[in-house]
Amino acid sequence: MSDRRYTVLVCQGTGCISGGSEQIYSLLEKEIESSGSNGGIHVKRTGCHGFCQQGPLIVIEPEGTFYTKVKLDDVTEIAKSLLPGGKPLERLFYRDPATDKPIPCYHDIPFYSKQSRTILRNCGNIDPEYIDDYIAQNGYQALHKALFEITPDEVISEVKRSGLRGLGGAGFPTGRKWESCRKASGEVKYVICNADEGDPGAFQDRSVMEGNPHSVIEGMIIAAYAIGAKKGFIYVRAEYPLAVKRLKIAIEQAKQKRVLGNSISGSGFSFDIEIFQGAGAFVCGESTALVCSIEGKRGMPKPLPRPRTSEMGLWNKPTLLNNVKTFASIPLIISNGSEWFAKRGTEKSKGTAVFSLTGKVVNCGLIEVPMGITLRKIIYDIGGGILGGKAFKAVQTGGPSGGCLPESMLDMPVDFDSLTLAGSMMGSGGMVVMDVDTCMVDVARYFLDFTQRESCGQCIPCKLGTKQMFEILDDITKGEGRPEDMELLIELSEAIKRSSICGLGQSAPNPVLTTLQYFRDEYEAHIHQKICPAGVCMVQNEGN
Amino acid sequence: MTEEELLTEILASYRGGRGELIPILQEVQNNLGYLPEDVMLGIARFIGVPESRVYSVASFYAQFRLLPLGRKRVTVCRGTACHIRGAPQILNEIERTVGIREGETSDDLEYTLETVACIGCCALAPCIRINMDVHGEMTRENVTGFFPALSESTRNENEKEKDVR
C-alpha cells in the first residue's frame, strides 16, 4: 500500500525467539492495530538478522532504525514511537562497545557495514512464511529464466563459469559436479540438499533455511532442471525444528504458485521436493552416509572403493548433493550472471563465504564476507575484537574437521585453499574465536571427544584411533600426560588421516595436529610442569 | 489409546517402504517420547525387515531413545562456542541441582538430562533447551532458576542416593 510509512521487521530466528520475539511480534501487531495508524505501519516477521547476540532484534524501515535486546515491556513504547510526533527510542539503540555511543541505524554499525551480504541479503528482510515477499524481491525469476530462456547445458556452463565451489566445506567445483551428474546415464536422478549442519559452532545453514527458504528451493529446482531430475530431498537435522517448519510452508506455497510440482509454470518440467529429517548423526553430513540414511539404514559411509554419488547415489541412481548455501547461491548466479558472481573473491575461491562468528569475540553472529578477506578483518573489524579486551589466542574454523590458527596467521586470506594449507579448512563455516582463557589442549580434547562419539564405528582407524587419541588428551588435561604422548598423538594422527574411509575420520586429527603445531608450549606445560596455562584443566586443582 | 492402536494409526499413512523406517521411528517417538520394544517389533513386521535391522537403526542415531523420557527434557548444548564459554560448568550445575547425570531420567519421570552436539544458537552461548524452548547466555547462577521445584532437601536426598549407588 502506498500510504505505508514504516515496515517493522521483527526477527524470528531461533536466537531471537529464545529471547521472546514471538510474543514481541504478536503484541506489537496488536498494539499497532489498536493505535489507529490507518495501515501506515506494517509489522513483519523475518528470519535471522545475523546479530543474534544483540537479540531480540527489531529493524524499522525505510530508515533502518535498529533496536537491540528488545523486551516485551518495550513494545508499547515502540508502537507509540511510530505514531505521528513519535521519536526513535534511543535506549534500544546499539551502542558502540568502545565509545558507548548509540548508533541508530544498522547500516552504520561496523558489524553490518563491513560485511557483503549476498546469500544472506534477504534473510532478515523478507517474511520467510510468505512466498509473495520472496517473489517481490525478484524471487523465482532465475528459475523462469532457466526454464524459458536457456538450456540445461547453458545453466551448467553458467555455474561453471561463475567458479562457485561447494559451500558445505570441501569446496568441490559445483559446475563440474552438475556436469558429471547430467552426463551420468539413467532416466531417474535425484537432487539432495545437504542441510545436516552437524558441525558444532555453526548455524549458517539453519539461518538461511529459516530466513529465506525459497532461495534454497529455487536453487534446487534449477539444479534439477540442469541435470534432469524429477525428485529432490532436503536432509535437515532434527535439531532444527523451525527450519523444518519454514521449509514445509515454503514447499506448500511454491506448489500453490506452480513453481514446484507438475509442469512448473507450464514449462513441461516437473520436480518435487520432500523433507527428510536427520536423526542426529554427525557422519550423515558425508554424502554416502546421508544417502544410506534416506534409504532407511544406519548412516555409514559406503566402503572404498566407492562410486561418486553423482554417478551412483540414492537407490544407486545418479544423485546431485549440494549444501544449503550452494543452492541458495544459484538463483543469484543465474539472474545476475557468472561474471557478476566471479567479481568477488579470489582467483580460486569465488563469491562470498558465510560464517557463524562466535566464541570470545565482542560481536557474535552470522556474517557474510567476500572470499579472500583476512581473518583479522573478520575478527577485529566485524567482530569488534576480543571480549573484555583480552588477548587473542586462536581462531578455530571448520569445526571438528578443521584446526586452530594462531595470531601469526591472522593476516592470511580466508579461502578454501589457504585454510587447507594452514592445516584447517573452510568447513561449513563455523568460526570460533578463542582468547587467553581458552586452553588449547582442552579444545583438542573437546573435538576428539566429539569425533570419537560420532564415529560410525565402521573402520578401525577412526573407531579406535580417535578413542585412543581422546584418552591420551584426557590424560594430559588431568596432569597425567607422558613426554612421549605428543609424538604418539602425531603418529596416530598420520595413521588415521591415511587409512580412514571417509572425511570424518580423515580430518578428525586436524584439531590435534594444529594445536600441536601452533601451541606446543601448552602441551608441554601440561605434561612437564603439570600446569594448565589458561587455568581450564583439572591439573591446577590437584595442587601441583 | 494403547501403544498398539497408536502404532496402527501412525502406520496407516505409510506404504511400508524401507526408506520409511526413519520417518516412522521419528513419528512414533514424537508421540510416545521413546521407542518401546513391542513397537519396534511391529514396525519391523510392517516394513518387512528383520527386527535386528530396526534395532540397529534405532541404536545408531542419537535422536532415538529406547527408554521413556521425562516430562521436562533438558538438553545442554555441547557445541564449540558453548564449550569455551562454560557449557561443562552449566552441565555440572544442572546435574547437581536435578540430581541426575547426563543421559539419565529422574525416577519420577520429571526430568531427562541429555546433551546435544550443537543447538545452533552459538551466538547466545552457552545455551540449553528445555523441551522446545531454547535459553541462551546461561551462567551457573541463572541456570538453577529453571529448576525451582527442586528444594534443597530433594537435592540432598539425591546426592545421598548417588553415594549409596
Side-chain angles (χ1 to χ4, degrees), chain A residues 415-482:
Chain A
D415 60 55
F416 290 106
D417 310 297
S418 305
L419 284 171
T420 307
L421 204 65
S424 185
M425 69 183 290
M426 186 77 97
S428 76
M431 186 175 279
V432 186
V433 177
M434 299 169 181
D435 68 359
V436 280
D437 294 339
T438 315
C439 169
M440 302 317 286
V441 184
D442 176 65
V443 167
R445 176 195 172 278
Y446 163 80
F447 279 116
L448 265 291
D449 182 28
F450 177 84
T451 27
Q452 60 99 11
R453 282 180 199 229
E454 292 294 337
S455 173
C456 79
Q458 187 176 207
C459 75
I460 302 303
C462 174
K463 174 186 178 178
L464 299 182
T466 56
K467 175 87 177 151
Q468 290 305 314
M469 287 181 76
F470 167 71
E471 282 178 1
I472 295 169
L473 290 161
D474 195 45
D475 282 348
I476 298 176
T477 57
K478 285 182 184 150
E480 292 160 15
R482 303 163 306 165

Side-chain angles (χ1 to χ4, degrees), chain A residues 239-307:
Chain A
E239 286 85 356
Y240 288 174
L242 185 62
V244 171
K245 179 188 155 202
R246 298 232 166 111
L247 284 167
K248 277 186 179 160
I249 293 172
I251 288 173
E252 264 326 296
Q253 294 183 345
K255 281 182 183 166
Q256 279 163 17
K257 290 270 173 194
R258 309 241 4 236
V259 289
L260 186 65
N262 277 331
S263 186
I264 292 171
S265 304
S267 64
F269 169 72
S270 304
F271 182 62
D272 195 18
I273 296 176
E274 201 176 296
I275 292 172
F276 192 96
Q277 289 192 54
F282 175 69
V283 69
C284 286
E286 198 274 343
S287 57
T288 59
L290 186 151
V291 160
C292 284
S293 184
I294 297 184
E295 289 172 354
K297 302 176 195 153
R298 290 165 80 102
M300 303 207 285
K302 289 184 183 161
L304 293 165
R306 57 185 169 228

Side-chain angles (χ1 to χ4, degrees), chain B residues 6-31:
Chain B
L6 183 86
L7 181 66
T8 313
E9 197 183 294
I10 289 173
L11 294 180
S13 57
Y14 292 91
R15 297 184 313 265
R18 289 185 176 203
E20 291 175 335
L21 175 55
I22 292 173
I24 292 173
L25 291 174
Q26 285 170 331
E27 196 173 336
V28 168
Q29 182 163 292
N30 282 344
N31 281 280

Side-chain angles (χ1 to χ4, degrees), chain A residues 360-362 379-380 384-394 407 410 433-438 534 536, chain B residues 84:
Chain A
K360 306 281 186 76
V361 65
V362 175
I379 296 166
Y380 287 91
I386 308 302
L387 209 59
K390 292 198 173 168
F392 169 90
K393 185 182 273 183
E407 182 153 28
L410 279 179
V433 177
M434 299 169 181
D435 68 359
V436 280
D437 294 339
T438 315
V536 173
Chain B
I84 67 165

Side-chain angles (χ1 to χ4, degrees), chain A residues 20-88:
Chain A
S21 73
E22 278 176 324
Q23 292 85 338
I24 290 171
Y25 169 79
S26 313
L27 185 64
L28 188 61
E29 216 182 19
K30 227 183 275 165
E31 293 261 341
I32 300 276
E33 224 169 79
S34 60
S35 73
S37 67
N38 293 331
I41 303 162
H42 177 40
V43 187
K44 194 154 107 175
R45 277 175 307 199
T46 71
C48 183
H49 282 262
F51 209 172
C52 315
Q53 183 199 26
Q54 292 288 330
L57 299 173
I58 286 184
V59 176
I60 300 165
E61 298 286 12
E63 284 86 0
T65 311
F66 189 68
Y67 290 155
T68 61
K69 302 209 182 248
V70 177
K71 292 190 185 61
L72 212 51
D73 295 343
D74 299 323
V75 170
T76 313
E77 224 179 314
I78 294 175
K80 269 190 200 142
S81 78
L82 296 168
L83 295 174
K87 280 204 178 96

